[in-house]
């Protein structure tokens, strides 16, 4: 009988009932039984194709049909045709700066937990999931920063339309000669929140009942960081959509590469 991860069914497994993923170590139950509702043929439909379709529709609406400018126009007008919240205490210091620091502190907390658990054999089943979470958050931040290094798009506050000095240049358009490069796409600030959508797959491996709560945490943090940045004039809405897409793609890819093959970490000492 093959061991299966909670989200992705293995072909060729003819077991008539769900494979239990409960593991007892030192008298402690570390992993919950695997719920049958999380497995099956619809994994790629619900975790790949539907998210990709939603992403594609949003990109067309926002970047092709002018949704970005429509949203930014209303936000800019609401603030009196100025980015009055750019230096606001809540939007800048509390959400943007303190939120970024909180996300990093949470990552450090996971790292410390992983290091402690490595010295406790009774909790060995948590090593790989925690390592996965660490890698996801770090890889997402690095990938978003790398894309920002060459994407060459401006922030709304840089544009003539919103009180700046630059013309709007689309993602794949060539910039006019003499116009310095832009560094505002995708949304780096929001990545500190959306990177935590990896909690969905983390909890799917260790506490499946909590997976939706983990997803809500990542989405809520990303939305809070992203909306604050839009209110400041730092990003268009599509910048956040791309950041969320990158975050989900990294979490999904690393889940398939690591947790799906050995969710309990039994084959590798992590």
């Amino acid at each position: 009988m093959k061991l299966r991860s909670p989200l992705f069914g293995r072909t060729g497994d003819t077991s008539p009932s769900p494979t239990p993923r409960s593991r007892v170590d030192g008298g402690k139950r570390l992993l919950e039984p695997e719920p049958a509702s999380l497995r099956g043929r619809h994994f790629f439909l619900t975790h790949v194709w539907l998210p990709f379709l939603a992403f594609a529709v949003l990109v067309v609406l926002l970047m092709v049909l002018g949704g970005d400018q429509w949203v930014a126009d209303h936000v800019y007008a609401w603030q009196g045709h100025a980015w009055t919240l750019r230096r606001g205490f809540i939007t800048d210091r509390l959400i943007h700066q303190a939120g970024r620091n909180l996300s990093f502190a949470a990552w450090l907390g996971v790292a410390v937990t992983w290091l402690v658990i490595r010295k406790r054999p009774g909790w060995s089943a948590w090593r790989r999931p925690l390592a996965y979470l660490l890698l996801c958050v770090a890889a997402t931040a690095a990938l978003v920063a790398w894309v920002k290094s060459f994407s060459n798009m401006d922030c709304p506050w840089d544009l003539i339309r919103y009180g700046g000095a630059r013309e709007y240049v689309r993602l794949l358009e060539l910039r006019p000669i003499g116009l310095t490069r832009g560094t505002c796409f995708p949304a780096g600030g929001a990545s500190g929140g959306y990177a935590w959508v990896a909690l969905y797959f983390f909890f799917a491996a260790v506490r499946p009942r909590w997976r939706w709560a983990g997803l809500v945490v990542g989405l809520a943090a990303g939305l809070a960081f992203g909306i604050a940045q839009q209110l400041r004039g730092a990003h268009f809405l599509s910048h956040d959509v791309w950041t969320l897409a990158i975050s989900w793609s990294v979490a999904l890819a690393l889940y398939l590469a690591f947790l799906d093959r050995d969710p309990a970490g039994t084959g590798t000492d992590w």
Side-chain angles (χ1 to χ4, degrees):
M1 184 181 297
K2 296 181 180 179
L3 182 68
R4 300 194 292 183
S5 69
L7 297 178
F8 190 63
R10 297 293 191 187
T11 58
D13 189 344
T14 58
S15 172
S17 61
T19 304
R21 292 182 54 255
S22 179
R23 179 180 175 182
V24 177
D25 226 335
K28 297 180 180 179
R29 188 184 184 191
L30 300 183
L31 298 180
E32 292 181 350
E34 178 184 345
S37 61
L38 293 184
R39 306 193 211 99
R41 70 182 71 178
H42 299 300
F43 175 85
F44 279 105
L45 174 63
T46 56
H47 293 77
V48 179
W49 297 117
L50 289 181
F52 175 78
L53 178 61
F55 165 72
V57 169
L58 286 173
V59 166
V60 170
L61 289 175
L62 296 173
M63 303 188 78
V64 178
L65 300 181
D68 271 342
Q69 288 73 26
W70 185 86
V71 173
D73 286 350
H74 283 76
V75 173
Y76 187 64
W78 172 69
Q79 296 182 52
H81 296 280
W83 298 113
T84 56
L85 295 177
R86 181 171 181 175
R87 306 297 182 190
F89 173 77
I90 294 178
T91 53
D92 183 21
R93 296 183 60 184
L94 185 61
I95 299 180
H96 177 51
Q97 298 181 34
R100 176 185 57 200
N101 295 337
L102 179 62
S103 178
F104 182 64
W107 186 87
L108 288 179
V110 175
V112 171
T113 303
W114 176 70
L115 290 173
V116 171
I117 283 179
R118 284 180 57 84
K119 300 181 181 298
R120 297 178 180 269
W123 294 89
S124 60
W126 289 77
R127 292 175 186 168
R128 182 179 286 255
L130 284 169
Y132 158 83
L133 188 58
L134 284 174
L135 184 59
C136 273
V137 175
T140 297
L143 184 57
V144 169
W146 178 68
V147 175
K148 283 171 66 73
S149 70
F150 65 82
S151 59
N152 212 16
M153 291 192 72
D154 298 305
C155 303
W157 62 40
D158 292 323
L159 303 178
I160 294 174
R161 183 169 182 159
Y162 305 113
R166 301 185 178 195
E167 294 286 349
Y168 176 68
V169 180
R170 296 180 183 274
L171 179 60
L172 300 179
E173 289 181 344
L174 295 177
R175 296 178 73 81
I177 296 176
L179 183 63
T180 57
R181 61 179 305 276
T183 58
C184 293
F185 175 87
S191 68
Y194 284 131
W196 293 98
V197 297
L199 285 169
Y200 172 80
F201 295 105
F202 168 77
F203 282 123
V206 295
R207 290 290 186 270
R209 290 178 299 174
W210 298 356
R211 69 193 187 282
W212 294 113
L215 181 61
V216 168
V217 168
L219 291 177
L223 279 172
F225 294 173
I227 290 173
Q229 288 294 78
Q230 291 171 50
L231 291 174
R232 297 180 64 234
H235 291 291
F236 286 114
L237 178 56
S238 65
H239 298 187
D240 292 346
V241 170
W242 276 88
T243 295
L244 174 57
I246 291 172
S247 301
W248 181 258
S249 298
V250 170
L252 176 62
L254 291 179
Y255 168 78
L256 293 176
F258 297 106
L259 291 187
D260 178 56
R261 297 183 180 183
D262 188 10
T266 56
T268 304
D269 184 9
W270 284 58

